[in-house]
């Protein structure tokens, strides 16, 4: 089954549960051709797919948060497991979350990918500025908020929403009013 769709550098990316289908020529459907099929991994949560500033796409698979961009650019690199250092805990938490509740966003201003598991009470923050030696992203876990929605505006503000509240991410002022 198809879980999510994305566009990246002229490619149409079709995320299925167990594989990813990539078409080139997505700007003109009459010239689209099958570019690649990545078997064995797919996307499990529609709203986990986020474009990383036009250079990459991140998404949640059965094995954690994956980065797709390098594979498309170099056509030979495997998917990069961004969540490698927190994978076991992340997978355990995802297993107890309703998949349709999972939300994600990429915030270019501070170069991070947020993955919210609101029922579980955790939001994973993956810093994309510097990749660690093992290919994973530096990760922090936010436990005090449980966002159910994200929105990045054209003016580069990040709004974080949950029932009855809308907040703006700014100034690294966690747990303050």
């Amino acid at each position: 089954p198809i879980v999510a769709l994305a566009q990246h550098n002229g490619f149409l990316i079709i995320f299925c549960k167990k594989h990813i289908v990539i078409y080139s020529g997505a700007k003109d459907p009459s010239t689209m051709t099958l570019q690649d099929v990545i078997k064995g991994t797919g996307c499990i949560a529609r709203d986990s797919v986020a474009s990383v500033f036009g250079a990459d796409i991140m998404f949640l698979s059965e094995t954690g948060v994956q980065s797709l961009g390098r594979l498309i650019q170099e056509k030979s690199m495997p998917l990069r497991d961004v969540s490698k250092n927190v994978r076991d805990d992340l997978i355990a938490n995802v297993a107890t979350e309703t998949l349709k509740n999972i939300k994600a966003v990429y915030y270019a201003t501070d170069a991070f990918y947020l993955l919210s598991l609101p029922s579980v009470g955790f939001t994973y923050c993956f810093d994309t500025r510097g990749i660690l030696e093992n290919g994973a992203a530096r990760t922090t876990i936010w436990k005090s908020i449980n966002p159910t929605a994200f929105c990045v505006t054209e003016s580069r503000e990040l709004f974080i929403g949950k029932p009855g509240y809308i907040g703006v991410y700014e100034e690294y002022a966690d747990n303050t009013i």
Side-chain angles (χ1 to χ4, degrees):
I2 294 174
V3 176
L5 299 172
Q7 183 276 338
H8 181 70
N9 292 340
F11 292 97
L12 171 64
I13 315 293
I14 302 171
F15 292 94
C16 301
K17 280 194 170 195
K18 300 286 185 187
H19 60 276
I20 300 167
V21 180
I22 303 171
Y23 282 92
S24 62
K27 292 181 181 180
D28 180 2
S30 67
T31 62
M32 283 178 38
T33 57
L34 180 64
Q35 181 73 29
D36 199 1
V37 176
I38 302 167
K39 296 180 180 179
T41 192
C43 180
I44 61 171
R46 181 192 71 185
D47 295 331
S48 71
V49 176
S51 177
V52 179
F53 210 54
D56 198 354
I57 293 179
M58 295 174 75
F59 63 96
L60 180 63
S61 75
E62 289 180 331
T63 59
V65 175
Q66 304 292 324
S67 167
L68 184 66
R70 214 168 255 237
L71 176 70
I72 292 171
Q73 290 170 357
E74 299 182 19
K75 296 183 175 67
S76 62
M77 301 271 307
L79 293 169
R80 184 167 50 90
D81 185 352
V82 175
S83 61
K84 189 181 293 186
N85 293 340
V86 295
R87 181 179 35 220
D88 293 342
D89 289 336
L90 174 64
I91 291 170
N93 287 327
V94 167
T96 63
E97 180 66 69
T98 304
L99 294 178
K100 70 177 184 175
N101 291 342
I102 295 173
K103 305 294 183 213
V105 70
Y106 178 72
Y107 185 50
T109 302
D110 289 325
F112 60 66
Y113 170 83
L114 293 177
L115 180 71
S116 176
L117 309 176
S119 301
V120 174
F122 293 137
T123 299
Y124 289 82
C125 179
F126 297 95
D127 183 351
T128 63
R129 284 179 289 213
I131 301 305
L132 302 174
E133 292 174 6
N134 65 356
R138 186 175 49 183
T139 308
T140 56
I141 300 172
W142 300 355
K143 297 179 183 177
S144 61
I145 63 170
N146 303 317
T148 57
F150 296 110
C151 179
V152 177
T153 67
E154 287 184 16
S155 61
R156 299 173 60 113
E157 288 184 293
L158 171 61
F159 287 95
I160 300 173
K162 61 191 242 180
Y165 299 94
I166 297 176
V168 178
Y169 178 82
E170 59 185 11
E171 300 181 14
Y172 313 103
D174 295 347
N175 297 320
T176 61
I177 298 177

